Amino acid sequence: MNHQVNCLHCIIPPHMLDSILANGNAAQRKLALDCIGISGGIRGHRQALMSAVAYLTPLTAPGKHRTVYTANNGSSLPGQQMRDEGQPPSSDVAVNEAYDGAGLTYDLYWDVYQRNSLDGNGLHLDSTVHYQQNYDNAFWNGQQMVYGDGDGQLFNRFTIAVDVIGHELTHGVTQYMSNLDYQSQSGALNESFSDVFGTLVKQRKLNQTADQADWLIGEGLLTASVHGVALRSMKAPGTAYDDPVLGKDPQPADMAHYVNTTQDNGGVHINSGIPNRAFYLTAAGIGGYAWEKAGKIWYVAGRDKFKNTTDFQGAADLTTQTAGELFGTDSAEQQAVKNAWITVGITPGAPQTQPQPQPSGCVTAPAAIIRSIFGGS
Ligand SMILES: [Zn+2]
């Protein structure tokens, strides 16, 4: 019996939860298991919501409208309303962080790319904090943001990192644009797109140029007792953490180290390291504020050219093409995009050479671990 982690659009990837199950103490394993069980339930719920959302006509006027709720450590959504747009700060730090993070994300998309919220039509940004007890994740459920408080041993509260908020809300943007299939390379691009605009929200908040930014995803989320600095590194994939409980960051930095796996929807949180680094290299090559040029190239390519099935080669081709259209053929910007993809092992314009997914030879055995912990469940 294979253990399946079905966490769609969660910030904590399944390989990390698996590692906690294998290596954590009893309390940590219990929390990881709760997270997996809840996430599995969310998947079906999310698909139902997606179908419902397709029939909804947006009711909203253009503009920024945020509402933050609390689940009061339960699981009903959206929960009790705590702060609506324009209201003064709450005494609850998680409420204010969710509110501010949603605002910074809205501002990036509106101020820089003239996109009016996630759907381009002023969609209200709803968030729920204090979801469940000690819940070790944050996710976009197809309709709203949801944040756990973290267990305090491995993870802090999930509103603490503004790039995590930008990451999750960008899953909403992708849903309304290319709707990249959440599987294999298109899924890794979906993840990477969220990391790109998540880190741009953070860099813009901090007013950092590409060479000043840390290019980490989720810095501040891991507690001081974890050996690691963040969930991922866009600049140096594979180096974000190496911890007895969380395991080692499995992200490859180039195509030579592409991970063929059936886990994690075909490695969507793993191989995203490759396009993540391509974006970092593009931004570093162009210089200045990454959201201005590199971000614009990625945004316009994602909005106008990506399809749900776009793979890494397609992303390389289409971002290079977009850079030429925005900044001129053979411009410094287009050269930076081209060089970035070549560095990670993909030549823009080259014929399709997609690694064939192979069955994982070594399926981890969390099901056995779960049985051993909980006695045959
Ligand atoms: Zn994600």
Side-chain angles (χ1 to χ4, degrees):
M1 186 168 78
N2 279 347
H3 159 76
Q4 282 289 331
V5 178
N6 290 323
C7 186
L8 283 181
H9 303 321
C10 290
I11 194 70
I12 298 302
H15 58 77
M16 223 174 200
L17 295 171
D18 282 348
S19 187
I20 297 169
L21 281 181
N23 306 311
N25 63 33
Q28 290 164 341
R29 291 197 300 261
K30 173 75 170 62
L31 290 169
L33 201 62
D34 287 350
C35 190
I36 290 165
I38 291 164
S39 305
I42 287 160
R43 184 183 190 176
H45 184 53
R46 178 177 170 274
Q47 283 163 348
L49 280 169
M50 291 279 286
S51 315
V53 163
Y55 295 99
L56 290 177
T57 309
L59 303 168
T60 56
K64 179 160 60 174
H65 194 124
R66 296 161 285 175
T67 310
V68 183
Y69 303 82
T70 175
N72 286 315
N73 298 118
S75 54
S76 73
L77 296 175
Q80 178 191 348
Q81 184 171 319
M82 296 293 285
R83 188 177 176 190
D84 200 18
E85 186 66 40
Q87 290 182 345
S90 158
S91 56
D92 184 328
V93 66
V95 168
N96 296 328
E97 286 171 343
Y99 182 90
D100 293 341
L104 289 162
T105 304
Y106 180 93
D107 291 345
L108 172 77
Y109 280 107
W110 177 248
D111 296 346
V112 182
Y113 310 120
Q114 290 76 55
R115 183 179 188 83
N116 182 16
S117 193
L118 311 186
D119 62 346
N121 199 20
L123 184 79
H124 285 194
L125 299 176
D126 291 339
S127 311
T128 297
V129 298
H130 305 306
Y131 181 72
Q132 291 282 21
Q133 291 192 1
N134 302 325
Y135 182 64
D136 271 337
N137 229 325
F139 58 90
W140 165 253
N141 75 354
Q143 192 176 56
Q144 68 156 95
M145 281 301 311
V146 182
Y147 302 95
D149 293 329
D151 60 276
Q153 294 180 26
L154 298 170
F155 299 102
N156 292 313
R157 64 180 184 277
F158 279 77
T159 47
I160 204 169
V162 72
D163 48 345
V164 167
I165 296 175
H167 173 107
E168 293 300 336
L169 288 170
T170 297
H171 279 307
V173 174
T174 299
Q175 174 187 320
Y176 285 102
M177 296 200 310
S178 56
N179 204 14
L180 285 158
D181 293 343
Y182 206 65
Q183 180 69 37
S184 303
Q185 289 198 10
S186 58
L189 281 175
N190 189 319
E191 269 303 308
S192 177
F193 225 72
S194 277
D195 279 353
V196 163
F197 292 95
T199 201
L200 292 182
V201 169
K202 173 177 155 180
Q203 290 178 23
R204 188 159 178 264
K205 177 191 179 191
L206 299 175
N207 195 36
Q208 290 176 328
T209 55
D211 62 333
Q212 292 167 337
D214 62 17
W215 295 96
L216 297 171
I217 301 297
E219 198 271 332
L221 187 56
L222 304 179
T223 65
S225 58
V226 173
H227 295 264
V229 290
L231 300 177
R232 292 183 281 281
S233 168
M234 299 180 71
K235 182 175 181 175
T239 66
Y241 61 91
D242 189 354
D243 180 82
V245 177
L246 293 181
K248 186 183 178 308
D249 180 355
Q251 286 212 311
D254 56 40
M255 288 302 282
H257 300 90
Y258 185 92
V259 179
N260 282 304
T261 176
T262 55
Q263 304 287 309
D264 182 29
N265 288 64
V268 297
H269 293 91
I270 297 172
N271 292 311
S272 57
I274 296 167
N276 274 359
R277 183 161 166 250
F279 181 81
Y280 158 74
L281 290 167
T282 297
I286 293 173
Y289 293 123
W291 59 87
E292 289 182 348
K293 289 183 173 177
K296 179 152 196 192
I297 294 164
W298 253 244
Y299 175 74
V300 171
R303 184 192 62 190
D304 298 345
K305 298 187 193 297
F306 282 22
K307 294 184 298 192
N308 64 312
T309 55
T310 297
D311 60 8
F312 289 2
Q313 182 68 55
D317 296 347
L318 296 170
T319 51
T320 303
Q321 187 189 335
T322 302
E325 289 166 6
L326 290 172
F327 300 103
T329 303
D330 294 329
S331 57
E333 290 83 357
Q334 193 187 36
Q335 278 304 325
V337 175
K338 218 182 260 185
N339 292 340
W341 285 109
I342 289 169
T343 302
V344 302
I346 298 170
T347 303
Q352 205 92 340
T353 49
Q354 190 180 352
Q356 293 302 308
Q358 289 163 1
S360 172
C362 176
V363 177
T364 50
I369 293 164
I370 292 162
R371 279 195 295 276
S372 74
I373 300 168
F374 296 102
S377 62

